[in-house]
């Protein structure tokens, strides 16, 4: 059975290994230079306190490859479910070759166990290697990314660390399970994609924020956590808004960001604007004080009036804890689907 499974799978395995080899070589060749440029830029910006500008410039220069490698890691588990999992059993069922194997003294359980074990292990290995290689390469960019693409943010978290290994195992067994139930390759592929996408959407929205109790804290306003200042009309009221970032906790996943007035009352949510009673004709918030230092002085003026950011977030320090917990959840889902596949194969499939 091992030999037969390898014969059926070796084409896909060789192609996947070749693609991963090319990706790993590219990352290995470009990673050290990326890290050295980040280190040199950080050393140069620290004395004059211009690291925020350096981070923005550095990330903008490498945003395209950052998004590209992240997309590869996110797409790999879905492709595993579509092209390795869903057709694995349906091809045998459609061609009737499963009956030939079962009549050669090979039990149904052994037949499925070898296929799941060999190909599932290959899928997990490919996703793990891909995820860890991209995590190593993108470390300088993760440290300088905008808040929406922070390391703990949903779009990035799933493309880092060991989580892709759990996604790949689940997607593969999901495809196999759907294939056993549907018995047709194309419908099985379509259903696998829909179900896997739904689970991947639900995890960061409904489950991941509650894996550990989030941190809630109040922060003074600054360029880090504020979306900006806008003046309505000529000399109109000043309106400010918060954004999903917290000072001193770069890379964190901010779940909510509210603007509070001096009494502690919520006056605006994340991205919403609220008026503040500061002058734009004179003082630190006037156009005459424009510029980075003038903006800092304006934030100080607004802080003196008692305005604060109230944020709920998952700190970056929990990254690996979340990775292990989420991988464990997907492992349990994978084991559940595996048990169901064996039960259905023995009791219902003929």
């Amino acid at each position: 059975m091992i030999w037969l499974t390898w014969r059926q799978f070796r084409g896909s395995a060789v192609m996947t290994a070749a693609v991963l080899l090319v990706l790993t070589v590219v990352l290995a060749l470009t990673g050290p230079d990326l890290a050295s440029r980040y280190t040199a830029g950080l050393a140069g910006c620290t004395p004059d306190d211009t690291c925020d500008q350096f981070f923005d410039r550095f990330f903008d220069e490498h945003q395209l490859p950052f998004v590209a490698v992240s997309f590869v890691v996110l797409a790999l588990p879905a492709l595993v479910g579509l092209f390795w999992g869903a057709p694995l059993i349906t091809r045998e069922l459609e061609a009737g070759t499963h009956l030939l194997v079962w009549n050669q003294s090979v039990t149904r359980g052994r037949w499925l166990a070898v296929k799941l074990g060999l190909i599932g292990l290959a899928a997990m290995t490919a996703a793990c290697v891909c995820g860890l290689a991209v995590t190593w390469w993108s470390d300088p960019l993760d440290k300088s990314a905008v808040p929406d693409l922070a390391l703990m943010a949903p779009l990035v978290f799933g493309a880092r660390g060991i989580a892709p290994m759990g996604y790949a195992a689940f997607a593969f067994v999901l495809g196999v399970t759907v294939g056993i139930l549907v018995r047709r390759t194309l419908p099985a592929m379509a259903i696998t994609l829909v179900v896997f996408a739904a689970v991947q959407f639900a995890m960061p929205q409904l489950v991941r924020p509650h894996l550990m109790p989030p941190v809630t804290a109040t922060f003074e306003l600054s360029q880090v956590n504020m979306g900006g200042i806008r003046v309505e009309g000529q000399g109109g009221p000043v309106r400010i808004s918060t954004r999903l970032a917290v000072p001193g906790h770069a890379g964190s996943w901010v779940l909510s960001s509210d603007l509070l007035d001096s009494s502690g009352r919520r006056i605006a949510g994340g991205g919403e604007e609220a008026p503040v009673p500061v002058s734009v004709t004179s003082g630190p918030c006037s156009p005459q004080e424009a510029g980075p230092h003038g903006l800092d002085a304006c934030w100080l003026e607004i802080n003196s009036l008692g305005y604060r950011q109230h944020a709920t977030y998952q700190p970056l320090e929990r990254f690996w804890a979340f990775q292990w917990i989420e991988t464990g959840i997907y492992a349990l889902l994978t084991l559940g689907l595996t048990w169901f596949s064996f039960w259905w194969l023995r009791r219902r499939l003929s």
Side-chain angles (χ1 to χ4, degrees):
M1 274 302 302
I2 296 176
W3 177 84
L4 177 61
T5 302
W6 167 247
R7 288 278 301 222
Q8 294 174 324
F9 175 64
R10 62 182 177 181
S12 299
V14 170
M15 182 178 67
T16 303
V19 172
L20 285 179
L21 179 61
V22 172
L23 176 64
T24 304
V25 169
V26 172
L27 296 179
L29 292 176
T30 58
D33 178 65
L34 185 66
S36 65
R37 293 179 61 185
Y38 174 81
T39 303
L42 190 62
C45 72
T46 302
D48 55 359
D49 195 24
T50 58
C51 287
D52 287 340
Q53 292 88 335
F54 164 70
F55 290 150
D56 291 340
R57 184 173 63 255
F58 182 76
F59 184 77
D60 287 342
E61 291 174 354
H62 302 91
Q63 185 171 0
L64 183 59
F66 173 88
V67 173
V69 295
S70 299
F71 176 77
V72 170
V73 182
L74 291 173
L76 181 58
L79 295 176
V80 165
L82 283 177
F83 297 103
W84 289 10
L88 184 67
I89 306 300
T90 56
R91 283 192 306 240
E92 304 272 7
L93 296 177
E94 289 174 341
T97 54
H98 64 293
L99 298 176
L100 176 63
V101 175
W102 293 346
N103 289 328
Q104 300 296 322
S105 73
V106 177
T107 64
R108 300 184 182 196
R110 182 187 173 194
W111 177 74
L112 183 60
V114 172
K115 287 182 174 293
L116 289 180
L118 183 62
I119 304 178
L121 181 62
M124 293 171 60
T125 302
C128 186
V129 170
C130 188
L132 292 178
V134 170
T135 301
W136 169 80
W137 179 88
S138 63
D139 181 62
L141 295 173
D142 288 331
K143 293 177 179 177
S144 57
V146 296
D148 289 341
L149 295 175
L151 188 58
M152 287 288 287
L155 287 177
V156 179
F157 180 88
R160 300 290 185 270
I162 61 172
M165 177 177 64
Y167 303 158
F170 170 71
F172 172 68
V173 178
L174 174 65
V176 173
T177 304
V178 173
I180 291 176
L181 294 173
V182 177
R183 303 191 185 193
R184 292 291 182 269
T185 300
L186 290 180
M189 294 174 69
I191 295 173
T192 298
L193 179 61
V194 171
V195 174
F196 181 70
V199 173
Q200 291 296 86
F201 178 80
M203 177 61 71
Q205 299 296 324
L206 304 176
V207 180
R208 192 182 301 158
H210 310 290
L211 293 180
M212 296 177 69
V215 177
T216 300
T218 302
F219 301 92
E220 291 190 344
L221 308 183
S222 66
Q223 293 189 60
V224 174
N225 57 358
M226 297 307 296
I229 300 178
R230 185 173 67 87
V231 180
E232 288 188 351
Q234 292 292 331
V238 174
R239 305 184 70 88
I240 62 174
S241 62
T242 62
R243 63 174 179 165
L244 297 178
V246 289
H249 298 277
S252 298
W253 180 21
V254 181
L255 304 175
S256 66
S257 176
D258 298 327
L259 183 64
L260 307 181
D261 62 12
S262 57
S263 65
R265 181 174 59 92
R266 179 184 181 274
I267 58 175
E272 299 175 352
E273 293 184 339
V276 292
V278 295
S279 173
V280 293
T281 57
S282 62
C285 293
S286 64
Q288 291 79 9
E289 299 291 338
H293 298 290
L295 195 58
D296 289 339
C298 184
W299 291 128
L300 291 175
E301 174 73 11
I302 298 174
N303 282 319
S304 69
L305 298 176
Y307 290 89
R308 295 292 186 270
Q309 177 202 30
H310 183 75
T312 301
Y313 64 98
Q314 295 287 0
L316 178 62
E317 292 76 17
R318 296 178 177 179
F319 173 78
W320 283 108
F322 272 47
Q323 285 275 318
W324 284 106
I325 294 172
E326 188 160 316
T327 302
I329 292 174
Y330 276 88
L332 291 176
L333 293 174
T334 302
L335 290 175
L337 289 175
T338 301
W339 173 85
F340 178 80
S341 296
F342 277 100
W343 178 83
W344 191 270
L345 184 71
R346 290 167 175 166
R347 301 292 182 89
R348 300 296 185 90
L349 193 62
S350 61

